Amino acid sequence: MRHISLLPLLIPTILLSACGGSDSSNDPIADTKFGTVNIAISDSPMSEISKVDLVLDQLVMTDEHNKVHTYKMGLHRFNLLDYQGMTSRRVISDLQLPAGHYHDVHFTLVNGDEADGCAIENGHGRLPLMVEDGHLPLHDFVLNEHDNLSLTMEIDLYRSMHFSNNQYQLNHSGIYSVDDRYMGHLNGEMDSQWIADCEITHAAKAPVSGQFYHMAYLYPSNATNIEQMADIRPDKTDGKFSPVAVSPIHQDRNGDWSFAIGHLPVGDYRVGYTCLGHLDDPVQDDINQSQFSLFKDAGLVTIKEGGQATTHRCGNGHGGRG
């Protein structure tokens, strides 16, 4: 059985400007060229976890001259589960930086072993959350003069959150960032007959609660069929493709089943479906141990740039109801 599972989508948006400033002791020269940077954070959800508190300490980045720029975040705390799917929390707004190339970009955090550090809440209370290397990584970026660059960090909790040695660990696997100009969102309509068929086929593998974990797995388009779709695990030697994103599928009041995956880099992907999400332990190979399997190949989907939302019909989708 997997150690973790996940929660429905909740999504308001709040903007927050960064506080503090660069660690540079020299004033910029008059002819320095500047651009501005905006950074937001979003996530995909987890069930049985009601809160994921992140506490940001500093934004750190190194420029092309190997000068380190540090911006204090004022120990900014927010619940990651409030910013899911296609929404995000803006944690840096209109930060002015000298134009150039930046690398080793990351947020440092207050780890869960410190007072008022990162933490999760579940049915057993509040527990400390440890973050790998004490930071969240962003990709390198180039800032041109007069640019107004917006980046979004996506934290896929299904792939990055692990429970071991009686504590939760947030690993860098499953964390990526995108330039908002070159990303889009995915809305999925799931065939209700697939839902019913999967539950009947795998009745013997139902959770103790009796409630299956219906999940959409998103793969690179190189995965040309269901046999090439791997489960969530860090190491593979069987030639299968790892999912690039995972999302729970929810039923609405009309009986329709849907999922949403936000902030995806533009390109082609393939969608897989399963009702056995509760059997996908992120630290082991559950497919080759015959515990977990994908049920349907839902075909190819193309994500377009500019933050557009693409609707993808899996099987018969919502039966024409849209």
Side-chain angles (χ1 to χ4, degrees):
M1 295 290 289
R2 62 181 299 170
H3 298 297
I4 59 173
S5 48
L6 293 112
L7 180 85
L9 301 176
L10 302 167
I11 318 183
T13 301
I14 298 176
L15 302 184
L16 176 74
S17 297
C19 57
S22 171
D23 63 353
S24 171
S25 59
N26 298 318
D27 292 332
I29 58 176
D31 60 352
T32 299
K33 299 177 180 179
F34 288 89
T36 57
V37 174
N38 306 278
I39 302 175
I41 298 178
S42 180
D43 85 298
S44 64
M46 296 189 73
S47 59
E48 297 181 4
I49 292 180
S50 58
K51 197 172 188 179
V52 178
D53 267 349
L54 294 183
V55 185
L56 303 182
D57 184 19
Q58 297 183 61
L59 170 65
V60 182
M61 64 194 81
T62 304
D63 66 22
E64 57 200 76
H65 306 293
N66 288 323
K67 177 182 176 181
V68 178
H69 299 254
T70 303
Y71 297 86
K72 296 179 180 179
M73 299 298 298
L75 300 182
H76 173 59
R77 178 189 300 272
F78 64 98
N79 177 15
L80 186 60
L81 293 186
D82 286 343
Y83 306 94
Q84 300 175 17
M86 290 179 283
T87 60
S88 60
R89 175 152 186 139
R90 184 73 64 84
V91 295
I92 294 289
S93 292
D94 299 326
L95 176 63
Q96 191 175 66
L97 288 173
H101 182 276
Y102 291 85
H103 62 278
D104 192 22
V105 185
H106 60 274
F107 287 105
T108 61
L109 297 101
V110 181
N111 250 330
D113 58 351
E114 301 180 44
D116 297 322
C118 299
I120 69 102
E121 291 183 9
N122 59 16
H124 302 288
R126 188 174 179 86
L127 300 170
L129 172 63
M130 305 301 295
V131 181
E132 181 179 351
D133 297 331
H135 74 268
L136 300 175
L138 288 92
H139 65 62
D140 299 353
F141 64 86
V142 175
L143 183 66
N144 296 312
E145 184 182 9
H146 305 310
D147 263 359
N148 186 20
L149 180 64
S150 292
L151 307 172
T152 300
M153 175 190 294
E154 180 72 20
I155 302 177
D156 187 334
L157 293 178
Y158 272 110
R159 295 190 295 138
S160 58
M161 183 86 82
H162 304 271
F163 183 78
S164 61
N165 299 321
N166 295 315
Q167 72 177 21
Y168 283 91
Q169 172 88 22
L170 184 64
N171 294 331
H172 293 168
S173 59
I175 298 177
Y176 64 88
S177 51
V178 293
D179 184 326
D180 287 359
R181 295 171 296 182
Y182 309 114
M183 67 84 183
H185 310 294
L186 173 61
N187 289 320
E189 297 182 0
M190 185 58 60
D191 192 323
S192 60
Q193 190 60 53
W194 289 11
I195 299 286
D197 290 347
C198 188
E199 291 191 356
I200 293 171
T201 301
H202 296 295
K205 293 185 176 182
V208 175
S209 65
Q211 183 175 354
F212 283 89
Y213 285 60
H214 298 281
M215 306 288 296
Y217 282 57
L218 192 67
Y219 296 89
S221 59
N222 307 66
T224 57
N225 58 68
I226 197 168
E227 300 302 323
Q228 294 182 315
M229 298 177 182
D231 59 346
I232 304 171
R233 62 183 189 271
D235 301 311
K236 297 188 297 73
T237 58
D238 55 8
K240 296 178 183 290
F241 292 90
S242 296
V244 297
V246 180
S247 175
I249 303 169
H250 299 289
Q251 187 177 31
D252 64 22
R253 66 182 65 185
N254 299 318
D256 293 327
W257 294 84
S258 304
F259 65 92
I261 303 176
H263 308 98
L264 291 165
V266 298
D268 296 327
Y269 298 88
R270 184 173 291 273
V271 181
Y273 159 69
T274 185
C275 61
L276 299 177
H278 60 291
L279 295 179
D280 190 0
D281 189 320
V283 297
Q284 67 184 33
D285 182 348
D286 299 294
I287 286 184
N288 290 324
Q289 293 182 13
S290 301
Q291 298 297 314
F292 171 83
S293 62
L294 275 299
F295 187 68
K296 288 288 188 178
D297 174 358
L300 290 170
V301 60
T302 298
I303 301 301
K304 300 178 181 179
E305 64 183 16
Q308 298 183 59
T310 298
T311 297
H312 180 66
R313 180 179 295 177
C314 302
N316 193 38
H318 291 166
R321 287 184 298 277

